[in-house]
Amino acid sequence: MAVKLSDIPFVESLALKGKNVFIRVDFNVPIVDGQITDDSRIQGALETIRYVRDQGAKVILGSHFGRPKTEEDRKKLSLEPVAQRLQELLDCEVVLVEEPLSEAPKALLKTLREHQVLMLENLRFFAGETKNEKGLVEAISAYTDVYINDAFGASHRAHSSIVGLPATVSQKAMGFLMKKELEALNGILSGAESPYVAVLGGAKVSDKITIIKDLMNKVDGFIIGGAMAYTFLKAQGNNVGTSLVEKEQIQFAKKMIEGMEAREKKLLLPVDHVVAPRFDAVADEVKTTDSVVVPEGFMGLDIGPQTIKTYAEYLGQAKTIFWNGPMGVFENELFNKGTFAVAEAIAKSEAVSIVGGGDSASAARESGFSKDFTHISTGGGASLEYLQGVPMPGLLALQGKFKDHIVK
Ligand code: AMP
């Protein structure tokens, strides 16, 4: 069910002048060799940060970054590169606070100048964050007057900075990015125009079972690609070579195929493939099949040209499209054509198009058509859960309604 936006306080309704405002952002960005490869989550948070700063408040930013476990991870998963990028984008100094639980932030806030913002070091460096323990909450709330949640991509987690802090800080609201995310997803939850097509791809059927079951009753058709297509093709009795198949999901795939037939809805599967003997194959080992059959000793790593054509035609008729998961191993340029072609077809369609975060959001951007999507969510797991109507701890907390027992 769509959450009513009017039930959640919005940052514009709060008086912020002179306050210390903690903004929970989602700066969990991809970094390769110390370089941020996609800064859209940082870009997405700028509006709220600028607004809060322009209201004459002091900004304290908090985010998680990766899943630090060891001492070594602390070096790799510092928010330092993010602070640098934000500094360029905001055109102001970003002061990274290494010890958010110490007295340092309080002292820094006292002397913080207009063109400075504070950023707390990776919140997951502190054991209490993922367990919603009160130590972290008490430390941060001691220097926070107002709590803003702009981290849609992290709001399905009942962590300290998502539920504990807003329970302790009396003034709280959502930011601009959170509002934008909810508006976009509410649009397809409460009024998806038909034909509504869900494009699902990626690695595993098992990761997407609940969303598939949920969408079966809402969409007019599915387009299936990526590794998960091979479990469906196997379920139909096709030869899939050494493609990734989840044996334990074959029964589910069969039921889904039957279920869609019974509902007289479409379920499109690949009819040809780009195949190779291995994931890390070189160009001259790659070939394109001329049928649904994957030859022995080969694995399907992208959808083929005939499949692209069929999928693009169907997408061209759609009025609403939800996309989650790449059509192939798109990180490798030998296997990225299917994913980029689907991105192009979605972008060129007349449909309201929502990309549900993660790899498909990166692919949508890399395809060069990102401006033509209605909305590219910054949250992968979060957007899937929201669309299924799973209550989001972060949104409940903003309404003072979060109860531990609903944590999954
Ligand atoms: P997910 O996180 O479930 O959306 O899965 C994304 C991952 O699925 C990407 O890393 C892709 O490389 C991978 N993937 C997509 N298609 C295939 C395929 N045919 N075989 C193996 N992996 C794939």
Side-chain angles (χ1 to χ4, degrees):
M1 239 196 16
V3 171
K4 250 168 80 190
L5 285 186
S6 54
D7 288 347
I8 305 174
F10 182 45
V11 62
E12 281 187 317
S13 64
L14 300 178
L16 301 177
K17 194 171 170 55
K19 303 266 174 72
N20 290 343
V21 180
F22 175 93
I23 310 175
R24 177 51 161 103
V25 286
D26 180 1
F27 284 167
N28 189 27
V29 293
I31 293 195
V32 178
D33 299 331
Q35 297 295 316
I36 296 171
T37 53
D38 181 351
D39 68 359
S40 43
R41 284 183 165 166
I42 308 177
Q43 300 262 12
L46 294 176
E47 189 175 4
T48 302
I49 301 172
R50 286 198 181 112
Y51 175 81
V52 171
R53 201 184 53 181
D54 293 349
Q55 293 295 303
K58 292 180 178 176
V59 173
I60 309 153
L61 299 168
S63 176
H64 70 289
F65 181 35
R67 294 176 184 206
K69 290 196 181 79
T70 61
E71 263 315 295
E72 200 41 37
D73 289 345
R74 289 180 82 91
K75 281 185 218 129
K76 278 192 252 153
L77 296 173
S78 163
L79 280 170
E80 177 72 51
V82 175
Q84 291 215 355
R85 182 78 189 110
L86 179 64
Q87 193 155 283
E88 291 157 17
L89 293 169
L90 263 186
D91 202 17
C92 82
E93 190 187 342
V94 179
V95 182
L96 188 66
V97 184
E98 287 186 20
E99 296 296 342
L101 277 65
S102 70
E103 292 297 308
K106 270 189 216 165
L108 284 165
L109 281 162
K110 277 200 187 109
T111 55
L112 202 74
R113 285 178 287 122
E114 226 175 83
H115 286 288
Q116 290 181 315
V117 298
L118 285 195
M119 186 194 282
L120 308 182
E121 188 46 289
N122 186 353
L123 294 173
R124 286 201 189 152
F125 284 174
F126 311 98
E129 165 66 357
T130 54
K131 298 191 187 108
N132 189 21
E133 281 171 9
K134 60 180 187 205
L136 195 86
V137 173
E138 280 170 359
I140 299 177
S141 62
Y143 51 84
T144 296
D145 302 313
V146 178
Y147 170 93
I148 306 294
N149 187 344
D150 218 16
F152 173 74
S155 288
H156 57 318
R157 309 248 182 258
H159 292 172
S160 289
S161 60
I162 298 292
V163 294
L165 257 186
T168 309
V169 178
S170 59
Q171 281 193 295
K172 46 192 166 266
M174 64 179 161
F176 289 89
L177 178 61
M178 177 71 92
K179 189 166 177 238
K180 214 181 279 172
E181 294 273 9
L182 297 177
E183 275 167 354
L185 292 171
N186 280 357
I188 54 172
L189 265 175
S190 47
E193 204 185 328
S194 197
Y196 175 9
V197 179
V199 183
L200 299 179
K204 289 183 176 172
V205 181
S206 50
D207 287 346
K208 312 232 159 113
I209 284 184
T210 41
I211 186 77
I212 292 173
K213 281 187 185 158
D214 182 71
L215 287 175
M216 265 176 94
N217 296 315
K218 297 179 179 158
V219 299
D220 297 291
F222 281 105
I223 281 180
I224 307 279
M228 64 186 274
Y230 297 97
T231 302
F232 285 88
L233 291 174
K234 185 83 186 164
Q236 288 180 324
N238 292 299
N239 192 342
V240 297
T242 54
S243 308
L244 288 186
V245 168
E246 284 173 277
K247 285 203 187 83
E248 55 297 348
Q249 300 307 335
I250 290 177
Q251 274 313 317
F252 169 77
K254 266 190 190 147
K255 273 205 184 127
M256 187 191 159
I257 294 167
E258 287 161 14
M260 289 301 278
E261 268 168 19
R263 288 169 176 79
E264 294 182 0
K265 292 180 174 187
K266 271 194 195 286
L267 188 144
L268 300 189
L269 291 168
V271 291
D272 58 355
H273 320 271
V274 177
V275 300
R278 299 167 278 118
F279 278 103
D280 51 355
V282 292
D284 55 13
E285 292 173 301
V286 176
K287 53 185 192 178
T288 301
T289 67
D290 53 13
S291 80
V292 71
V293 177
V294 178
E296 244 4 276
F298 282 82
M299 60 200 317
L301 295 168
D302 195 9
I303 55 175
Q306 192 51 48
T307 310
I308 290 178
K309 198 162 167 268
T310 313
Y311 286 8
E313 273 166 19
Y314 188 43
L315 289 167
Q317 300 162 21
K319 289 280 189 302
T320 307
I321 300 171
F322 176 70
W323 178 25
N324 182 278
M327 297 289 102
V329 182
F330 79 107
E331 301 89 335
N332 182 338
E333 60 179 17
L334 296 171
F335 312 116
N336 66 11
K337 287 185 191 59
T339 302
F340 290 162
V342 160
E344 182 176 350
I346 298 175
K348 288 189 171 159
S349 77
E350 303 274 289
V352 169
S353 52
I354 310 273
V355 185
D359 281 331
S360 15
S362 312
R365 276 188 208 94
E366 281 171 42
S367 73
F369 293 99
S370 58
K371 283 196 182 62
D372 301 316
F373 289 85
T374 310
H375 182 69
I376 301 179
S377 176
T378 53
S383 62
L384 290 184
E385 288 199 14
Y386 188 77
L387 278 187
Q388 289 162 58
V390 179
M392 279 183 116
L395 297 182
L396 291 171
L398 287 177
Q399 302 168 78
K401 287 189 197 161
F402 176 75
K403 301 273 182 297
D404 276 324
H405 65 265
I406 65 124
V407 181
K408 290 211 314 169

